[in-house]
Amino acid sequence: MTKQWTVPRGTHDILPGEILLWRDMEDKARRLLATYHFKEIRTPIFEETSLFRRSLGQTSDVVNKQLLELTSTQQEGFALRPEGTASVVRSYIEHSLDQHEGISKLFYIGPMFRGERPQKGRLRQFHQIGVEAIGANTASPYLDVEVIMLNVELLSMLGVKDFRLKINTLGSVQDKENLSGVLRKMLQSHRDQLCEDCRDRFERNVFRILDCKNQSCRTIVVHLNMGHGHLSEDSQRYYGELKEILRSNQVSFEEAPGLVRGLDYYTHTVFEITQASLGSQDALSAGGRYNNLVAQLGGPAVDAVGFACGMERILLTMPAEYRSKEDRLTAYVIALDGRVFPKACQLVRRLRMAGISTDINYKASSLKSQMRSAGKAGSRYVLILGEAEDKKGVLALKDMTTGNQQEIREDALISFLNCQISAHQ
Ligand code: HAM
């Protein structure tokens, strides 16, 4: 028996019935991003593995456990991108984008890959809408707020309701060092209760213990009294200003002192937007500042801030009324007999050239069966051409919604259909 292939676990086909929803989401996002002056960038879906190791951190789960590496005969190691920030920064440096404009406001929409254990909202191939604002002198809490507000507006515009914005600060690189020390002190007495991975993380990257999913580690972590004592005065001031600006813009937020994010590149502001209906994978979107990453990857010393939303998770939260209807076919042409068939085909071609979606059944069959095909195709109108109509230079036009039928002159057809299309848009 022939093997039945199925879509790989943790991935999904986006079928024609869902595609309008995806296109709609992408179109709306693109329009909003343009109003914030973000420009689209498209980078390859794979990069050198070392780029991800260096940017996201050797000890992050994304690098340590979830990188989907491409094995090939080539020496160099490549991996499918698990996120977009590293690639955008690589491209920013490679093309010296810092020399073209003061600040590069870039966005991307596309698939990301992580070798995770699949569950609801957690996939191996998923899609993100991400933004990155990179440039000298961009270390302003106003820009952080712009990016956070863009994220909030994007989710609202896409129809997501009841989400919560959580913010925190990690401070500068030095502050993060201090925080590591504070965390080690707090966790020292619990070391034996930590999972094996976290005992290793204790030495190598104590932050990662805070986002460990293991229950025994979670129990310890939720009782930690996380504060901002590790922050320098400058970092405290920056965080204070950020909160002030958020408040003055009526953006509601919660402070989450335990929020450190699972990737190593963050400094200062970090944030996450969650929605309870998603269950355990409740993060719709996440981001923050990464003032050291560009220099760390060999680029200029510029600051940066960004976020990425998970598109599948957005769809999971969507109210049914948001879901757009399928693209409707405008016209379905039926030739009543073989003699008028070539003329019917010419008509199809003329309508398509006029931008009107049109289809025809190439297999000769009865009017009844062709009407059935038109119904299945979801066409708004059926155009019937028989010998009698041909002689008169008309077509029988049936409105499939009302059931009404009328004759229409061939030369009036295109403008009539165009009027109907614009009335329905
Ligand atoms: P992240 O938190 O790893 O951050 O991912 C951002 C969002 O992608 C998550 O909030 C979630 O909605 C979605 N996501 C992540 N993993 C999965 C998965 N396995 N299945 C489904 N959805 C998923 C980043 O990727 C950073 N690059 C964000 C960023 C941009 N920070 C600064 N700039």
Side-chain angles (χ1 to χ4, degrees), residues 360-388:
I360 185 167
N361 186 352
Y362 290 110
K363 198 166 150 257
S365 57
S366 68
L367 174 64
K368 200 167 154 199
S369 124
Q370 294 207 58
M371 284 302 287
R372 249 200 319 273
S373 305
K376 273 196 193 152
S379 189
R380 212 176 285 159
Y381 296 99
V382 172
L383 297 165
I384 304 164
L385 180 65
E387 273 199 72

Side-chain angles (χ1 to χ4, degrees), residues 42-52 67-72 74 76-83 86-87 90 111-113:
R42 297 187 190 186
T43 60
I45 60 162
F46 65 93
E47 298 271 356
E48 282 185 48
T49 311
S50 54
L51 172 72
F52 300 124
L67 264 194
L68 289 173
E69 296 194 48
L70 302 174
T71 47
S72 73
Q74 283 148 340
E76 222 156 7
F78 293 102
L80 292 175
R81 60 180 187 191
E83 56 102 62
S87 308
R90 194 261 313 133
M112 307 292 159
F113 307 84

Side-chain angles (χ1 to χ4, degrees), residues 7-18:
V7 74
R9 234 161 72 77
T11 71
H12 60 107
D13 298 317
I14 304 174
L15 296 173
E18 301 155 284

Side-chain angles (χ1 to χ4, degrees), residues 106-158:
L106 305 166
F107 80 88
Y108 46 91
I109 301 179
M112 307 292 159
F113 307 84
R114 297 185 190 178
E116 307 218 54
R117 204 161 35 79
Q119 66 176 79
K120 182 188 163 205
R122 188 164 74 189
L123 297 159
R124 289 182 172 161
Q125 177 175 338
F126 56 98
H127 297 76
Q128 283 186 343
I129 302 174
V131 314
E132 315 292 349
I134 313 171
N137 306 320
T138 56
S140 158
Y142 279 94
L143 183 60
D144 298 29
V145 170
E146 172 177 312
V147 164
I148 293 174
M149 281 172 56
L150 167 59
N151 198 164
V152 167
E153 212 178 309
L154 178 64
L155 294 176
S156 307
M157 196 195 54
L158 294 177

Side-chain angles (χ1 to χ4, degrees), residues 396-425:
L397 174 108
K398 186 173 171 98
D399 183 327
M400 297 294 272
T401 317
T402 60
N404 295 340
Q405 189 164 321
Q406 65 183 88
E407 274 189 355
I408 185 159
R409 291 198 57 78
E410 265 187 64
D411 51 14
L413 184 62
I414 290 180
S415 53
F416 171 82
L417 291 176
N418 273 332
C419 273
Q420 297 305 311
I421 295 169
S422 29
H424 281 92
Q425 269 168 357

